[in-house]
Amino acid sequence: MTRRFAVRQARFGPRRVGYKERAMERIAVCGSGYVGLVTAACLAHMGHDVCAYDNDATKIRSMQRGALPFFEPRLEAVAARERKNGRLHFAGSAREALPGRGIVFIAVGTPVDPSGDADLTYVRQAAREIAQYGEPGLLVVNKSTVPVETADVVMRLLSRLAPQRAFGVASNPEFLREGSAVDDFLHPDRIVIGCDDSTAAQRLRDLYAPLGAPTLVTDTHTAEAIKYAANAFLALKISYANELADYCESFGAAVDRVLEGIGLDRRIGREYFRPGLGFGGSCLPKDLLALAHMARKSGSEPALLDAALAVNARRPAQFVRRIERTLGDLDGAGVAVLGVAFKPLTDDTRESPAIALAGALAAKGAEVRVHDPEVPAAAVRRALPRALVCRNPYAACAGARCVVLATEWPVYATLDWHRIRAAMDAEPVMFDARNALDAASVRSAGIRYEGVGRCAREPVSA
Ligand code: UDX
């Protein structure tokens, strides 16, 4: 074995091998949300026997019929195939799911209260059920995003409730993005394993070895901290891009080109630098708040995290003021809002900046008409009771004074702008809150275009 290969083996674990060449594990996954279902389906895809369980009987019944409780590209197909292969099962309780399983992943919700304190009720409930139904030697792996020291909480609970079963406990945070979760699971940038027991750590290394990703094995506190640190840094990048876009507007500079120019520096990188309406979703806002709270509780002052949250929180209201500067009084003005989900390729509206924006416009008296390709109309109505839900983007633009692109669904980049222009009123304006559109094609249809940090002067083509 060459030295280089030996170093890589020692550092990153075995090279990619075929999925089927590894020992098949019998795995349970507690929780059937984004993380739980993607983990279950992908581990089954890798050749393991997996049972996902959830005490929400409705969810389990719908999954047993092949209908997933949310939209996630590729997930339905992978889950259907693995159910057909007999590798993926669903159960309504730990009692049904845990017998005969060697590893159980805890992938339950950890809601955060407004102070940032994470609620571990569901994690503790999962641990109690594992203590009751888990087999001796079961490896309990926490995949949820949890405060540092949660693995200790789980360990203490299991030791107190089932001391003789000698469960193992590990932390294995996930880094999945909604909309690309299956790809993110099967092609991870890295695997993080927090475990004080080398045998259990090796077992998880072996489980993920076929993915061929760099694997970091550390203690549980460090693994738990890595998850929060990653999300907090991603949020910082977005808030930096948003603040930079504001400067560029006043400098008359083109923020896209500025970000391209700095992103060519390998130390900075070009990824995850899109300015716009700010970050939403069930993770970044919550994790940033939770990390700031943990930092404060431990006596540190999270100034950067607080600033990133503050920059983000004011983006929707800031954008409404910008629309008012252009249109004047919004009372009675028809405004079309394209996109409701917190990001494209998902029907998830949690903490969606698009909803914050549309709600603020409606509060100003605007007649808001919304469209989203995936978010069910009922969910939109619940979030935006004063808005009119439209079947397609053209219907949303009919008679509108302006259009706001709030979520950059691919379908909006190829709209017929002449048709949109004809549908809108006298002096139509497109506010591209995600810099997702080609300004020239919008302008060529006779629609005024305003992006984020995109100065009016067209950048000189290279
Ligand atoms: C995020 C992390 O990316 C993922 O690693 C973690 O496991 C969960 O949280 P997710 O929230 O699903 O994933 O989506 P992501 O693509 O990160 O987008 C989060 C929010 O940031 C969205 O509202 C998106 O619109 C916004 N965003 C993202 C930007 O505004 N600019 C960007 O450049 C990227």
Side-chain angles (χ1 to χ4, degrees):
M1 182 187 288
T2 64
R3 173 169 153 59
R4 188 171 55 81
F5 182 69
V7 168
R8 175 182 157 73
Q9 278 281 69
R11 195 155 159 245
F12 290 138
R15 278 189 180 289
R16 174 189 293 279
V17 291
Y19 287 168
K20 310 293 180 271
E21 291 151 34
R22 290 273 161 183
M24 189 272 281
E25 290 275 10
R26 290 179 56 76
I27 297 168
V29 177
C30 174
S32 56
Y34 284 93
V35 174
L37 266 186
V38 171
T39 300
C42 290
L43 287 172
H45 171 73
M46 291 171 67
H48 303 289
D49 186 288
V50 185
C51 180
Y53 67 100
D54 192 306
N55 52 24
D56 179 336
T58 317
K59 255 190 192 176
I60 290 298
R61 272 197 300 277
S62 91
M63 290 185 299
Q64 282 166 338
R65 286 197 312 272
L68 298 189
F70 49 78
F71 170 73
E72 176 62 39
R74 290 190 59 195
L75 183 58
E76 195 148 303
V78 175
R81 187 177 60 241
E82 297 314 325
R83 286 185 64 235
K84 192 159 165 269
N85 292 341
R87 280 197 286 263
L88 178 61
H89 323 275
F90 296 114
S93 68
R95 184 176 50 76
E96 289 170 72
L98 288 177
R101 302 283 160 184
I103 302 176
V104 57
F105 285 92
I106 298 178
V108 296
T110 53
V112 164
D113 68 22
S115 77
D117 219 359
D119 177 354
L120 294 183
T121 302
Y122 302 116
V123 172
R124 288 193 175 89
Q125 178 58 29
R128 273 192 283 275
E129 292 171 350
I130 290 166
Q132 189 172 0
Y133 300 107
E135 310 232 330
L138 175 68
L139 176 53
V140 182
V141 187
N142 202 2
K143 209 152 209 7
S144 301
T145 303
V146 291
V148 177
E149 298 184 7
T150 299
D152 302 341
V153 169
V154 170
M155 177 85 82
R156 283 195 295 272
L157 248 176
L158 294 172
S159 307
R160 180 165 56 83
L161 297 173
Q164 75 290 354
R165 306 252 183 98
F167 294 122
V169 175
S171 166
N172 172 221
E174 50 72 31
F175 301 95
L176 311 179
R177 290 164 297 169
E178 290 184 32
S180 56
V182 171
D183 281 341
D184 289 348
F185 187 100
L186 295 175
H187 308 285
D189 287 341
R190 76 308 205 175
I191 301 289
V192 172
I193 297 168
C195 191
D196 303 325
D197 169 345
S198 57
T199 310
Q202 187 56 51
R203 192 171 178 191
L204 289 175
R205 266 188 190 280
D206 290 344
L207 185 75
Y208 289 112
L211 303 181
T215 300
L216 180 79
V217 178
T218 182
D219 62 275
T220 55
H221 292 192
T222 303
E224 290 162 339
I226 287 171
K227 172 65 187 175
Y228 280 103
N231 269 7
F233 184 73
L234 292 170
L236 284 174
K237 276 196 93 168
I238 296 169
S239 283
Y240 176 73
N242 285 330
E243 200 162 278
L244 187 62
D246 295 346
Y247 309 157
C248 286
E249 300 244 345
S250 52
F251 299 157
V255 72
D256 301 337
R257 305 288 272 174
V258 170
L259 289 165
E260 185 183 353
I262 64 172
L264 289 168
D265 181 326
R266 285 193 307 275
R267 295 167 301 168
I268 298 174
R270 300 169 67 169
E271 292 286 310
Y272 222 78
F273 247 160
R274 296 192 313 280
L277 213 43
F279 56 82
S282 63
C283 296
L284 261 56
K286 164 177 86 72
D287 294 351
L288 198 48
L289 193 63
L291 183 58
H293 178 73
M294 284 188 272
R296 249 184 284 279
K297 264 178 50 176
S298 63
S300 304
E301 188 43 55
L304 271 180
L305 306 186
D306 290 342
L309 278 166
V311 167
N312 195 60
R314 58 174 176 260
R315 289 307 281 180
Q318 208 175 320
F319 208 82
V320 170
R321 284 196 298 278
R322 178 216 187 97
I323 296 172
E324 284 180 310
R325 280 199 303 274
T326 303
L327 300 188
D329 184 3
L330 290 176
D331 190 23
V335 177
V337 175
L338 301 184
V340 175
F342 83 91
K343 64 179 280 195
L345 303 184
T346 180
D347 60 358
D348 192 345
T349 60
R350 289 175 287 185
E351 304 287 323
S352 169
I355 290 178
L357 175 80
L361 289 166
K364 293 268 182 187
E367 287 175 16
V368 178
R369 315 149 68 90
V370 296
H371 169 265
D372 187 285
E374 281 298 336
V375 178
V380 180
R381 289 194 189 94
R382 278 197 301 274
L384 295 165
R386 286 194 277 187
L388 176 68
V389 182
C390 297
R391 292 181 318 284
N392 64 63
Y394 299 102
C397 295
R401 178 80 176 77
C402 76
V403 190
V404 185
L405 186 142
T407 308
E408 65 280 23
W409 282 98
V411 65
Y412 298 145
T414 56
L415 291 177
D416 175 347
W417 295 111
H418 290 278
R419 185 176 160 196
I420 295 271
R421 168 76 188 82
M424 292 178 72
D425 86 353
E427 299 158 21
V429 185
M430 155 52 77
F431 292 97
D432 181 1
R434 292 288 183 180
N435 282 357
L437 303 176
D438 172 48
S441 59
V442 174
R443 289 186 180 123
S444 67
I447 301 173
R448 179 174 165 179
Y449 173 91
E450 290 200 21
V452 177
R454 287 180 152 181
C455 63
R457 244 191 3 264
E458 287 303 316
V460 174
S461 57

